[in-house]
Amino acid sequence: MQRLGQGLLLLVLGCLPVPCRGQETPNFVVIFADDLGFGDLAAYGNRHIRTPNLDRMAREGIRLTSFYAQNVCGPSRAALLTGSYPIRVGEPGNAKNAHTVLHPDERTIAEVLKPQGYVGGLIGKWHLAGGGGHERGRGTGPYNPDLMPNSQGFEYFFGTPSHNGTTREVQPGGWKTELMRNEEVLESPTDLDLLTRRYTQEAVAFLERNRDRPFFLYLAHTMPHVPLGVSPMFKGRSVRGLYGDVVEELDWSVGEVLGTLVRLGLDDRTLVVFTSDNGPWIEGHLGDHGGSAEPLRGFKMSTWEGGLRVPGIFRWPGRIAPGQTSDQIASTLDLLPTFAALAGAGLPADRPIDGLDLGPWLLGDSARSPRQRFYYFAFTHLQAVRDGRWKLVLERPENPPWTSWYGRMIDAVTAPQLYDLELDWGESRNVAAQNDDVVARLMRLAESVRAEIGDFDRIGSDARFFDTGAVRPRMGAWRK
Ligand code: MG
């Protein structure tokens, strides 16, 4: 009788707008690698690094080949968590930092899902609170607690507050990251060799603790960002050297997470996404400790495709049809509105966001991704726009001074270039001269992006500034 009563109640309420556990409300797991390139997984053509768990995940879901993050770590995390291009994300004091500092008034995925009863957990790298050694070159924190994960919607945090370094080897006297649990520093410095294994153990424990309530697990690995670290079990196994060892341990970690979901009976109630924050870091001093963007052009910090087109694998047994590959456009920007729609959560009503709901497309109710366009920013500099198959690369000088330290990886473009990304993933044939009309159309698109979202020398009409006082300064005045 009691069960019948509950059934009637569910029928009357229809489980809407508040989804019910045990109905259709999924859990969300985002596994976010750091500096893993488009060409680093066997499922994306790598012939040297063994990634059987990710390959299986791709076979059991959809493998995207035009999936975009951003071109550098901090902004990429801000984009994923807010569904917004980093240039429009609000920062304390209305500033704009090379690594985005997330204003407390920004709404993260964890905060958007919380009213629906979701618990948010961040296992891994945060890098949205500034501070730390990166800016000062050495030392640890302190970090403003208002900017840390526990104040940005995550009930549980275990990981590194910032990045782990900028050199091939751990520098004896240089920056070393600490390891934290919530607001407590557990170790300083932490042992990079153990991070992937410890994150995995923490992720499994988080899933076990929260098996009976909806959750959003953001598993943001610190690897394979330099300096690399790998546990003894994986050291020396890969023909690709230490970098390969590190990626193979990440693959093992994915297998542990997916296996835990099966063991807990949550496999068909959990949407798992695997991707990377930006392309591979390929620079002389790092040697073979950087990854591969093949067959794409470019690397981390650039806005050629290899800088921000990354692996994107979505898996949800019973809901996303297995065995799919798609070259349609999607982005980490889209995760927030996609998860919100699936969870029945409302989007922030007081601000425009850039993300689009991928749900109908991923679940097979629509043949087309809602995303037809993507805009390529280096820091605040709009460098290219994509609309469907066409990518227009805008003029720019070499090493633009307003692109902060990203600029050293940015080459000159002396006249607009047009690439057909359906036929030419490697951006090797500039077809601007043969397509005047397309160039003109995309130039107009770029101008509308500048007006609404902004550029290095311009504040967009939709940029967000939460604090009173002056907004970010113009970073330069170059415009041919
Ligand atoms: Mg990165």
Side-chain angles (χ1 to χ4, degrees):
M1 188 63 200
Q2 191 183 2
R3 287 180 59 189
L4 181 63
Q6 284 177 347
L8 285 172
L9 186 64
L10 291 176
L11 196 64
V12 170
L13 294 177
C15 277
L16 294 171
V18 179
C20 312
R21 188 51 148 156
Q23 302 291 309
E24 296 301 318
T25 310
N27 305 301
F28 304 106
V29 176
V30 174
I31 305 175
F32 204 39
D34 193 346
D35 293 5
L36 181 85
F38 186 85
D40 279 330
L41 306 180
Y44 284 78
N46 193 291
R47 288 177 290 121
H48 305 293
I49 302 175
R50 295 167 297 186
T51 53
N53 291 294
L54 281 159
D55 302 343
R56 177 170 61 87
M57 182 180 166
R59 287 196 304 273
E60 293 173 350
I62 184 166
R63 182 180 72 99
L64 304 182
T65 55
S66 284
F67 190 71
Y68 291 96
Q70 301 291 319
N71 68 336
V72 173
C73 305
S76 194
R77 284 147 219 279
L80 185 152
L81 287 175
T82 67
S84 303
Y85 285 105
I87 185 176
R88 74 155 107 222
V89 172
E91 300 195 35
N94 299 332
K96 185 53 65 181
N97 289 282
H99 282 301
T100 313
V101 178
L102 200 62
H103 194 287
D105 289 349
E106 283 289 347
R107 298 271 306 278
T108 67
I109 293 176
E111 289 170 310
V112 166
L113 296 177
K114 196 180 283 277
Q116 301 301 93
Y118 280 73
V119 57
L122 163 57
I123 314 289
K125 174 176 168 179
W126 177 239
H127 210 180
L128 288 170
H134 189 62
E135 286 72 18
R136 295 198 304 275
R138 61 183 174 81
T140 59
Y143 295 91
N144 179 348
D146 293 341
L147 302 176
M148 292 295 283
N150 295 121
S151 298
Q152 302 272 23
F154 292 96
E155 293 182 26
Y156 186 71
F157 167 48
F158 177 94
T160 52
S162 184
H163 69 116
N164 49 321
T166 58
T167 51
R168 178 183 166 108
E169 309 295 339
V170 177
Q171 289 182 294
W175 159 249
K176 295 186 184 68
T177 185
E178 59 272 77
L179 180 69
M180 300 180 71
R181 174 178 281 124
N182 296 318
E183 293 173 4
E184 177 193 1
V185 175
L186 299 178
E187 287 179 3
S188 183
T190 193
D191 185 343
L192 297 183
D193 285 345
L194 300 180
L195 276 184
T196 298
R197 170 162 291 272
R198 290 166 105 177
Y199 288 172
T200 306
Q201 291 165 344
E202 285 282 333
V204 168
F206 178 88
L207 297 175
E208 289 172 343
R209 279 200 305 279
N210 295 291
R211 63 184 299 176
D212 294 324
R213 59 183 294 197
F215 56 78
F216 165 48
L217 171 60
Y218 174 41
L219 174 52
H221 281 285
T222 301
M223 297 294 143
H225 187 299
V226 293
L228 300 174
V230 71
S231 65
M233 203 169 94
F234 288 88
K235 193 154 197 168
R237 290 190 0 167
S238 172
V239 296
R240 178 58 174 76
L242 180 58
Y243 186 86
D245 295 342
V246 169
V247 175
E248 291 188 7
E249 186 169 27
L250 290 175
D251 179 76
W252 162 82
S253 176
V254 171
E256 292 297 300
V257 169
L258 295 180
T260 300
L261 292 173
V262 171
R263 173 165 59 82
L264 298 177
L266 299 174
D267 200 34
D268 58 0
R269 281 195 273 157
T270 306
L271 168 58
V272 183
V273 180
F274 178 91
T275 186
S276 178
D277 66 336
N278 48 249
W281 192 351
I282 299 173
E283 196 170 7
H285 69 288
L286 303 180
D288 63 358
H289 284 206
S292 166
E294 286 183 20
L296 306 177
R297 176 177 178 177
F299 28 70
K300 175 181 177 177
M301 297 186 232
S302 81
T303 53
W304 299 112
E305 292 292 297
L308 27 59
R309 200 199 289 203
V310 288
I313 303 172
F314 288 63
R315 176 187 182 273
W316 185 3
R319 299 299 303 273
I320 294 177
Q324 300 182 78
T325 292
S326 175
D327 196 36
Q328 294 195 50
I329 305 170
S331 169
T332 55
L333 296 166
D334 304 323
L335 296 183
L336 182 146
T338 302
F339 294 176
L342 290 169
L347 293 177
D350 59 347
R351 66 198 65 180
I353 66 165
D354 299 295
L356 301 167
D357 177 10
L358 302 177
W361 171 54
L362 292 174
L363 302 185
D365 297 328
S366 164
R368 302 287 305 168
S369 166
R371 177 169 293 286
Q372 297 300 311
R373 292 171 173 171
F374 184 81
Y375 312 134
Y376 304 71
F377 285 92
F379 194 20
T380 58
H381 187 187
L382 181 68
Q383 298 193 336
V385 296
R386 178 174 181 181
D387 186 8
R389 69 193 303 163
W390 301 109
K391 177 179 181 181
L392 181 73
V393 179
L394 302 162
E395 287 180 80
R396 63 183 185 234
E398 183 181 11
N399 192 3
W402 48 84
T403 52
S404 183
W405 39 263
Y406 310 5
R408 69 179 192 269
M409 308 297 276
I410 295 170
D411 52 359
V413 173
T414 55
Q417 300 177 4
L418 185 71
Y419 295 95
D420 181 346
L421 292 180
E422 278 187 17
L423 301 178
D424 181 19
W425 279 16
E427 298 169 283
S428 61
R429 278 177 292 121
N430 173 16
V431 293
Q434 297 90 336
N435 296 277
D436 290 345
D437 55 334
V438 178
V439 171
R441 180 166 59 81
L442 293 192
M443 289 296 273
R444 289 194 297 275
L445 173 62
E447 193 49 45
S448 72
V449 173
R450 285 191 193 105
E452 290 173 20
I453 301 179
D455 203 346
F456 69 95
D457 58 352
R458 182 166 180 175
I459 304 293
S461 60
D462 292 344
R464 293 199 283 276
F465 299 102
F466 294 107
D467 296 334
T468 56
V471 300
R472 66 175 169 88
R474 284 159 54 99
M475 299 297 290
W478 174 88
R479 182 72 67 201
K480 282 180 74 176

